Amino acid sequence: MKKIGIGLLGLGTVGKGVANIISNPNDRHPLVGELELIAIAVRNLQKRRDISFPASILTTNAIEIINNPNIQIVVEVMGGIEPAKSLIIQAIRSGKSVVTANKAVIARHGEEIANEAKAAGVYVLIEAAVGGGIPIIEPLKQSLGGNQITKVSGIINGTTNYILSRMDKEGANYSDVLKDAQELGYAESDPAADVEGSDAADKIAILSGLAFGGTINRADIPTKGINSLEAIDVNYARKLGYGIKLLAISEKGKAQSDIQASKPLSIWVEPTLVPEDNPLAGVNGVNNAILVEGNPIGQVMFFGPGAGSGPTASAVVADILNIAGIQSMSEEKSLNLDPLLSAKSWRSCHVAEEKEISKKNYIRLIAEDAPGVIGQIGTIFGQKKISIESIVQFDAINNEAEIVVITHKIKLGKLKEALSDIQSLPQVKRIGATMGCL
Ligand code: NAP
Ligand code: HSE
């Protein structure tokens, strides 16, 4: 059988992991042995690299890879929006299937890319874009296809989970642990994407599109990262029996009419208090966990390493094998794509406005340590019909008290109104933090 030519765009954390698997096919699926690394694009040819293949296959000219007739599958693992997006489209137009780990591109341009792929009769597979080594994309596209999905939620950024876990367990310093996450290859080249929540928002946009069958407008997802998280909230959360995790949540709202398509999706990313006995509280380090809920499956949890060279390469190679398997069966490229492997939107989805999101909340207020303050705060919540699960006063220093409120599930619009009234109370100095709470 003729070998299947692979062109890599990028030889960083993920690219190196992919090259290692392809260069060492022993004891893996036999199809791995049918893959041949033909060329690899990098930015800097002078960089010292520990590689087990001839350096002559490295090039700085990515277009050469796209146009190389010996390459059937282009693997984009360079990251960033451009030139990655244009190279993906050029590869598709030159009749090559594409495997990419680039969630930033797919979350913003996935529909355009899927349309190009359909027109060209090639595949674009993205297993590595979400959850690192966890198989979640293909299960949503294929294995769970018979379900009406109602909710997808979980921890989908390895860097921030690694940072939060080490801060919690070791009391480690935020910037030191972020530096470690970068050295371990977990963080994005600009780690702001991890700590500000945008990487998780890209991933939940992709998962929502697959779970609910339609394209999600990425810009509609309210996103809060861990960069403004304060140690005091980690401490209070622990005292109340919670850990803090960066969660991404996507759930189907109530129907506004009988038509399924009109149900808005509530999608958001934010640091969230997780009860210590919730399975997500035990997901530590670089691990991710994704809970999918639907009918008739009930709940299914996907768990594993969410970032890093080996795990991500495992997902990339799974996609390569899916395509290689089909190509090895038919030498003739066919425009009849496997409808399960090539994801396709089948309805329109719209994302609910932030004020319509309904959830439990943690609020920390800094107020005068005086009689009646908690009563006044409680009254305002009551006036807005917001039910309080608990209200606790913590430290009081220099006549300033830290008051923590946990609400029952309420719409964010109502919470915003209540917090605005509370802030105008003369005894309330400021709102220290707001987060989600499970
Ligand atoms: P990385 O370590 O920064 O590697 C990027 C590679 O791409 C480098 O080899 C770089 O060349 C090359 N490159 C960048 N721009 C280029 C250009 N214009 N032309 C040619 N080569 C170029 O990145 P990574 O961590 O492997 O991530 C790659 C992609 O995978 C990103 O989309 C990321 O979001 C995604 N991803 C990463 C992980 C992870 O755990 N790291 C997990 C899942 C998904 P030089 O080597 O010469 O600099
Ligand atoms: N920076 C990402 C993370 C890589 O930490 O989750 C995996 O997508």
Side-chain angles (χ1 to χ4, degrees), residues 10-15 41-44 47 49 77-79 83 101-103 128 185-186 188 307-308 312:
L11 189 62
T13 302
V14 182
V42 294
R43 215 171 2 202
N44 177 6
K47 210 186 236 182
R49 300 174 202 269
V77 282
M78 61 169 46
N102 196 327
K103 53 272 167 141
Y186 300 158
E188 295 302 302
T312 312

Side-chain angles (χ1 to χ4, degrees), residues 134 153-156 247 279-280 283 287-291 301-304:
I134 305 173
S153 60
I155 297 166
I156 51 176
L247 294 193
L280 289 177
V283 176
N287 287 314
N288 284 189
I290 302 148
L291 183 68
M301 172 88 98
F302 297 81
F303 168 86

